Amino acid sequence: MRNLILCGAPGSGKGTQSDLIVEKYGLLHLSTGDLLRAEISKQSELGQKIDSIISKGNLLPDDMMITLLEQHIASLPEHTKGIIFDGFPRTENQAIELESLMKRSGDETAVLIDLHVDEKETIQRLINRGKTSGRSDDNEDTIRKRLVVYHKQTEPVADFYRKLNKYQRVDGMGTVDSIFQRIDEILKDIYY
Ligand code: AMP
């Protein structure tokens, strides 16, 4: 499998662009945020623990996140063309674990696409989404906390992939279609 990492601050449009990539290239969308929200909706003990972390804008501990992700990947259909990792890895340690998982399974991370959006714009997008999303973390205080966490813990992931020559920065401002065209320029060389 040739996998793709879609990275970017909260509100940078990763979910929207993932839908378009799935439509054109038939990749499988794996959003760790969606995975965690599915666990919360089961109202299990684990779900409650996850909810209390997410609603504060913090990240789940790496070991917990990696275990959940590995379990999920093991349950995917065998002939998957590739996975879009959306919201993972979010720390350098998760990136190291992902690359070691890829080696063990004979797969690879083809590229990390880093969607760049002005911070003012991401905050506004998330506040608007919060009006209908029902997400406990789409309120202004938690949004600001998530952005701080992003700069501190997730930005080093970009450097990690830059060193592997797998980093591509994409301007995430503009219309959904124009952003997709920029992403498509990169993907068409990878997935033909
Ligand atoms: P998202 O839907 O990607 O914005 O994720 C929502 C929240 O889920 C994040 O703010 C984190 O609390 C948690 N989360 C999602 N992915 C991860 C991850 N890879 N590592 C740790 N926490 C995560």
Side-chain angles (χ1 to χ4, degrees):
M1 278 194 296
R2 305 199 78 198
N3 301 312
L4 155 71
I5 299 171
L6 207 49
C7 192
S12 57
K14 300 186 293 293
T16 306
Q17 293 300 325
S18 291
D19 291 344
L20 297 175
I21 298 169
V22 168
E23 205 177 294
K24 175 152 185 186
Y25 291 99
L27 303 185
L28 214 137
H29 181 208
L30 200 174
S31 150
T32 43
D34 286 350
L35 205 68
L36 299 174
R37 284 183 288 276
E39 195 58 50
I40 293 172
S41 67
K42 289 185 199 159
Q43 296 184 320
S44 59
E45 209 175 298
L46 176 64
Q48 283 172 10
K49 193 172 171 196
I50 292 171
D51 193 26
S52 74
I53 297 172
I54 289 188
S55 58
K56 290 190 191 84
N58 290 321
L59 296 183
L60 254 80
D62 286 337
D63 54 349
M64 201 170 156
M65 191 66 249
I66 289 156
T67 306
L68 282 168
L69 184 93
E70 287 199 46
Q71 280 170 359
H72 185 73
I73 291 179
S75 74
L76 295 178
E78 261 191 32
H79 298 294
T80 303
K81 188 172 164 191
I83 298 172
I84 307 168
F85 289 104
D86 162 2
F88 187 93
R90 253 179 161 96
T91 64
E92 190 171 351
N93 197 27
Q94 290 182 10
I96 293 167
E97 288 292 336
L98 178 63
E99 290 311 306
S100 116
L101 175 65
M102 292 293 109
K103 264 202 193 114
R104 290 200 302 276
S105 59
D107 299 314
E108 69 157 337
T109 315
V111 67
L112 177 146
I113 293 181
D114 191 5
L115 273 178
H116 265 258
V117 176
D118 290 349
E119 196 137 307
K120 255 191 177 165
E121 166 89 10
T122 61
I123 294 171
Q124 203 47 54
R125 285 185 190 178
L126 291 171
I127 290 174
N128 285 341
R129 186 175 76 183
K131 290 177 188 155
T132 53
S133 69
R135 280 177 54 165
S136 60
D137 57 349
D138 279 347
N139 59 77
E140 192 162 350
D141 284 350
T142 314
I143 290 166
R144 290 191 187 278
K145 175 74 190 293
R146 286 159 68 197
L147 285 167
V148 170
V149 167
Y150 177 78
H151 292 307
K152 199 168 163 211
Q153 294 185 259
T154 307
E155 276 180 355
V157 172
D159 283 332
F160 181 90
Y161 282 95
R162 210 178 266 123
K163 285 181 196 142
L164 297 178
N165 282 326
K166 290 180 173 183
Y167 176 85
Q168 294 272 2
R169 179 185 163 121
V170 167
D171 178 4
M173 299 291 285
T175 63
V176 169
D177 284 346
S178 65
I179 299 163
F180 179 66
Q181 273 176 19
R182 289 171 208 144
I183 294 177
D184 199 24
E185 280 301 312
I186 299 167
L187 295 190
K188 66 186 183 200
D189 289 337
I190 297 171
Y191 298 105
Y192 316 109

